[in-house]
Amino acid sequence: MNIVQVIPQLREGGAERFVIDLCNALIEIPDCQVTLIVFFNYNREHVLVKELNPSVKIIELNKKLGFDFSIPRKLAALIGNLKPNVVHTHLNAFEYMFINIFRNTNKIKFINTIHNSPNHIYHNRIVKLINSKLFSYSCVTPVIISSDSIPEFQKLFPKKKPVLIFNGRPKINQSKNFESVSKEIISYKLSLKTKVFINVARISREKNQLMLVDAFNQLISEKEDVILLIIGTQWDKEITRQIKDKINSRIFLLGYKENPADYLRASDAFCLSSLHEGMPISLIEAIQHGVIPICTPVGGVKDIINPSIGFISKDFSTFAYIESLKAYLSLKKEKCEEMSSNGKNEYTKKYTMGITALKYFDLYISTGK
């Protein structure tokens, strides 16, 4: 099986992390050849690039900003030379595959994973029209990563049936820096009983950290013994500025970390405040480490979380999120330990990258007949 994975760039993000993990899992399958095509030139020292299995060939296309009309031609030439069985696209890489899809004689199958809410991705009329045309080809199979997204997709594209495959994440062990991270977090705590909450996401409007900060400011004003760590690139400078204006001494903006798993392992609860999501990789990491999740009701969150492992707020309001935070804070130690264990078991049963990669491989084979 000759597989090509295609993504615009390698940077901090759930889809980018997923693609690296998927490549690494697929290359371990006997007789699998995997090539990763990246539109923008990549940083050889980026943590994602360093984690990519050396057996995966990686090709960069030197893309310019904006819609680069040279990319479809480069892709057509590359795909012609590589002669893959399957081309698997991610994010808006799919829209650049039109020459390959139009020319295809059903020798190649195209898989496109939709990493966010379809309503969010296809809100632009032109983008929707382009994708509708590409989805009309029998050689194209769309993959949805959350149950909520299926009716959204079918309403937008009623003639195409998507396949549901949940995201996965490989088992991540603590790094050599775990002890220093633990000491760092202890230094932030007010007492031995301080509950440590963590948000792992780039700072942006859709991740909704302003609401999260408002919720914790309210808890802190009510004398709750809590701290909040926010880990991720300060992507939106204006949102970052607004957050900095709001935070107090118990809310910590820690920026991008190459070892977020260490911070997760040293925390008590995981906070996800997003307005839009597919199936968050950070949430899968949290339950893997037994960190209890407290999330807004978005996308694949509702596939992962049930009352035995975590909390989902009733809506996206600050009030509703505070209610969920207080529900967690009211738990006794034994209940926390039970929920933590349940989360770990749920990860093992459903959300390992091994399980996800085999489902994709089965899809490649079935669509390749």
Side-chain angles (χ1 to χ4, degrees):
M1 176 68 70
N2 184 357
I3 303 162
V4 170
Q5 301 285 336
V6 190
I7 193 165
Q9 57 187 315
L10 293 176
R11 63 180 185 183
E12 180 189 359
E16 291 83 357
R17 159 57 61 195
F18 175 82
V19 170
I20 295 298
D21 291 343
L22 181 60
C23 286
N24 288 343
L26 290 170
I27 200 69
E28 296 297 329
I29 297 175
D31 300 319
C32 257
Q33 179 181 335
V34 182
T35 302
L36 174 60
I37 297 175
V38 183
F39 291 175
F40 288 96
N41 292 351
Y42 58 89
N43 176 5
R44 269 66 177 170
E45 296 305 311
H46 194 283
V47 62
L48 292 179
V49 177
K50 290 193 288 186
E51 289 181 8
L52 185 66
N53 189 309
S55 297
V56 177
K57 183 179 181 182
I58 183 167
I59 301 171
E60 57 189 0
L61 300 185
N62 193 28
K63 185 184 181 299
K64 299 178 178 64
L65 292 175
F67 192 92
D68 186 339
F69 288 93
S70 72
I71 298 299
R73 296 194 300 272
K74 289 179 180 178
L75 284 170
L78 258 178
I79 299 303
N81 290 331
L82 291 169
K83 295 180 172 54
N85 304 105
V86 173
V87 174
H88 186 170
T89 55
H90 305 266
L91 303 176
N92 69 332
F94 179 58
E95 294 152 24
Y96 284 83
M97 298 301 303
F98 62 86
I99 294 178
N100 287 286
I101 293 172
F102 292 168
R103 289 179 177 176
N104 185 45
T105 58
N106 286 326
K107 292 181 180 178
I108 302 173
K109 298 302 174 181
F110 295 86
I111 310 296
N112 180 50
T113 296
I114 298 157
H115 287 275
N116 211 322
S117 157
N119 286 339
H120 180 62
I121 294 173
Y122 304 117
H123 68 277
N124 181 286
R125 185 173 63 88
I126 295 175
V127 171
K128 181 185 173 185
L129 285 172
I130 292 170
N131 281 270
S132 181
K133 177 63 177 175
L134 296 177
F135 285 137
S136 70
Y137 284 79
S138 60
C139 60
V140 175
T141 301
V143 174
I144 292 292
I145 61 176
S146 73
S147 300
D148 266 11
S149 293
I150 293 176
E152 287 184 22
F153 183 89
Q154 291 182 322
K155 187 174 181 179
L156 290 166
F157 309 104
K159 296 181 179 180
K160 197 72 173 184
K161 185 178 180 180
V163 174
L164 174 65
I165 300 179
F166 292 151
N167 279 349
R169 187 80 170 95
K171 183 71 175 177
I172 306 299
N173 296 318
Q174 66 187 46
S175 78
K176 62 182 181 181
N177 297 316
F178 178 71
E179 292 302 323
S180 63
V181 167
S182 297
K183 291 177 182 177
E184 176 189 349
I185 292 176
I186 289 171
S187 74
Y188 300 146
K189 298 172 72 168
L190 279 73
S191 71
L192 293 176
K193 294 182 178 180
T194 300
K195 290 291 186 181
V196 180
F197 295 78
I198 186 168
N199 169 256
V200 181
R202 66 181 182 274
I203 295 179
S204 65
R205 194 169 301 279
E206 69 176 17
K207 300 301 181 183
N208 203 23
Q209 283 104 340
L210 278 171
M211 182 279 286
L212 186 62
V213 168
D214 286 340
F216 274 86
N217 279 339
Q218 180 63 34
L219 286 182
I220 292 164
S221 73
E222 294 176 9
K223 310 301 181 185
E224 294 284 1
D225 189 3
V226 298
I227 60 172
L228 172 64
L229 315 179
I230 300 177
I231 291 178
T233 300
Q234 296 175 5
W235 189 261
D236 187 314
K237 301 303 180 186
E238 176 57 24
I239 296 295
T240 302
R241 183 193 65 77
Q242 292 177 42
I243 289 174
K244 288 180 177 178
D245 287 343
K246 285 175 174 279
I247 61 175
N248 59 49
S249 60
R250 294 202 230 165
I251 300 175
F252 302 88
L253 280 178
L254 301 182
Y256 174 72
K257 299 290 183 182
E258 289 195 355
N259 58 329
D262 288 338
Y263 287 85
L264 276 168
R265 289 173 70 91
S267 299
D268 298 299
F270 169 79
C271 293
L272 187 142
S273 51
S274 300
L275 299 171
H276 306 283
E277 286 286 355
M279 177 166 279
I281 297 296
S282 57
L283 172 56
I284 296 173
E285 286 188 359
I287 65 170
Q288 176 192 144
H289 295 298
V291 183
I292 297 173
I294 305 163
C295 304
T296 46
V298 286
V301 162
K302 289 174 278 184
D303 288 307
I304 296 177
I305 296 180
N306 61 63
S308 73
I309 69 170
F311 300 86
I312 301 178
S313 60
K314 293 177 182 177
D315 55 46
F316 296 89
S317 67
T318 306
F319 176 80
Y321 199 79
I322 289 173
E323 278 193 325
S324 293
L325 291 170
K326 287 184 175 180
Y328 164 75
L329 289 169
S330 70
L331 296 177
K332 293 183 178 179
K333 181 181 178 182
E334 293 76 18
K335 185 62 177 176
C336 285
E337 290 174 350
E338 178 187 329
M339 293 178 75
S340 173
S341 178
N342 290 341
K344 291 178 181 178
N345 291 336
E346 195 76 357
Y347 162 77
T348 302
K349 288 190 295 184
K350 295 182 181 179
Y351 302 110
T352 69
M353 179 48 72
I355 292 171
T356 298
L358 285 176
K359 287 183 178 179
Y360 272 108
F361 187 71
D362 287 344
L363 179 63
Y364 299 161
I365 293 172
S366 65
T367 57
K369 292 181 180 178

